């Protein structure tokens, strides 16, 4: 039951963020949007380091000076995996730039696919750490796994708002915008559950999978979040948001882990 709750917490963050469509009027201010993007990037980088890469190397400590190998290999594969999805799946960013294979999908659909694409590594990360906790054969504790789940939920909150608000401004009703924003995060618990179902198979490869999730998350940060947060005016606000997100996730991981 605890594991189920832990897996669903990030989805709750997306849902609450999407619900902001009922409370906010007009467009999200550019400065607020950049602060939210920076905040999400800060949380994800801190989570990648403290919750994924460091545990990956700790689990490989018996390799002595070569303990970095699983982390390095998994990290590189995570980057390649997200890079491949980015080239294949048609999606649209907040600046209306379209990527992926050519398609005739609606703008709203491609906006949802963009956020869904970002959520895949986050769901995998949550699933991997809870799978490690459930086996009892690793140093991953329930509180450590929970800290990652809470951190991702915190950064999912602005993501939910960032996807639902533009949809409303495209002329879609508030209720449909809320539903679409919520559904953009459903891939996270699905990815987490699938990872846990395969736990008996993946445990020997856990160090690689932890760093794989980290690599995929870092790809999203460097390719999408930071450029969108830094372009134009108010980039300093994005930097402050990044610092706040990083600090909160670092504190959560150390305090609960």
């Amino acid at each position: 039951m605890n594991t189920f709750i832990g897996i669903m917490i990030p989805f709750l963050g997306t849902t609450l963020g999407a619900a902001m469509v009922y409370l906010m009027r007009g467009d999200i201010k550019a400065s607020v949007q950049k602060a939210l993007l920076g905040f999400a990037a800060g949380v994800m980088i801190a989570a990648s380091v403290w919750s994924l890469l460091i545990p990956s190397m700790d689990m490989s400590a018996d390799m002595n000076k070569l303990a970095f190998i699983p982390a390095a290999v998994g990290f590189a594969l995570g980057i390649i995996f997200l890079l491949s999805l980015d080239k294949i799946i048609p999606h649209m960013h907040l600046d209306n730039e379209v990527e992926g294979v050519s398609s005739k999908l609606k703008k709203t659909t491609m906006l949802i696919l963009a956020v869904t694409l970002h959520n895949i590594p986050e769901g995998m990360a949550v699933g991997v750490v809870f799978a490690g906790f459930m086996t009892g054969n690793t140093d991953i504790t329930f509180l450590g796994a929970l800290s990652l789940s809470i951190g991702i939920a915190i950064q999912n909150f602005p993501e939910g708002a960032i996807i639902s608000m533009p949809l409303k401004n495209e002329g879609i009703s508030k209720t449909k915008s809320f539903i679409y924003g919520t559904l953009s995060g459903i891939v996270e618990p699905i990815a987490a559950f699938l990872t846990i179902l395969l736990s008996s198979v993946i445990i020997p490869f856990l160090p690689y999978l932890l760093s794989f999730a980290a690599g995929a998350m870092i790809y999203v940060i460097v390719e999408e979040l930071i450029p969108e947060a830094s372009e134009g005016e108010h980039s300093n606000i994005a930097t402050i948001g990044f610092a706040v997100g990083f600090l909160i996730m670092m504190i959560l991981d150390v305090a609960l882990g």
Side-chain angles (χ1 to χ4, degrees), residues 30 41 59 72 103 123 141 160 178 182 213 217 236 246:
M59 290 178 193
S103 74
T141 64
F178 167 71
T182 299
M217 288 172 65
N236 57 332
F246 188 94

Side-chain angles (χ1 to χ4, degrees), residues 92-147:
M92 178 181 290
H93 302 294
L94 296 176
D95 59 1
N96 294 323
E97 180 184 354
V98 178
E99 290 187 351
V101 297
S102 178
S103 74
K104 296 182 179 180
L105 294 175
K106 293 181 179 180
K107 179 179 179 179
T108 53
T109 302
M110 288 196 287
L111 279 170
I112 294 169
L113 284 174
V115 177
T116 302
L117 179 63
H118 294 176
N119 287 338
I120 291 174
E122 296 166 18
M124 290 178 57
V126 172
V128 168
V129 293
F130 273 100
F133 157 69
M134 291 172 65
T135 63
N137 297 325
T138 69
D139 293 329
I140 298 175
T141 64
F142 173 72
L143 288 179
L146 185 64
S147 70

Side-chain angles (χ1 to χ4, degrees), residues 46-60 71 210 214 253:
S48 297
V49 175
W50 271 276
S51 298
L52 300 171
L53 288 173
I54 292 177
S56 172
M57 288 182 277
D58 287 343
M59 290 178 193
S60 308
L210 287 168
D253 193 86

Side-chain angles (χ1 to χ4, degrees), residues 176-223:
K176 283 189 176 180
S177 297
F178 167 71
I179 292 173
Y180 290 151
T182 299
L183 289 178
S184 70
I186 195 65
V187 69
E188 287 192 15
I190 291 175
F193 278 120
L194 290 175
T195 303
I196 288 175
L197 286 176
L198 297 172
S199 60
S200 60
V201 177
I202 69 174
I203 289 305
F205 306 100
L206 193 57
Y208 293 91
L209 291 172
L210 287 168
S211 55
F212 178 93
M217 288 172 65
I218 293 294
Y219 177 87
V220 170
I221 297 164
V222 176
E223 172 70 11

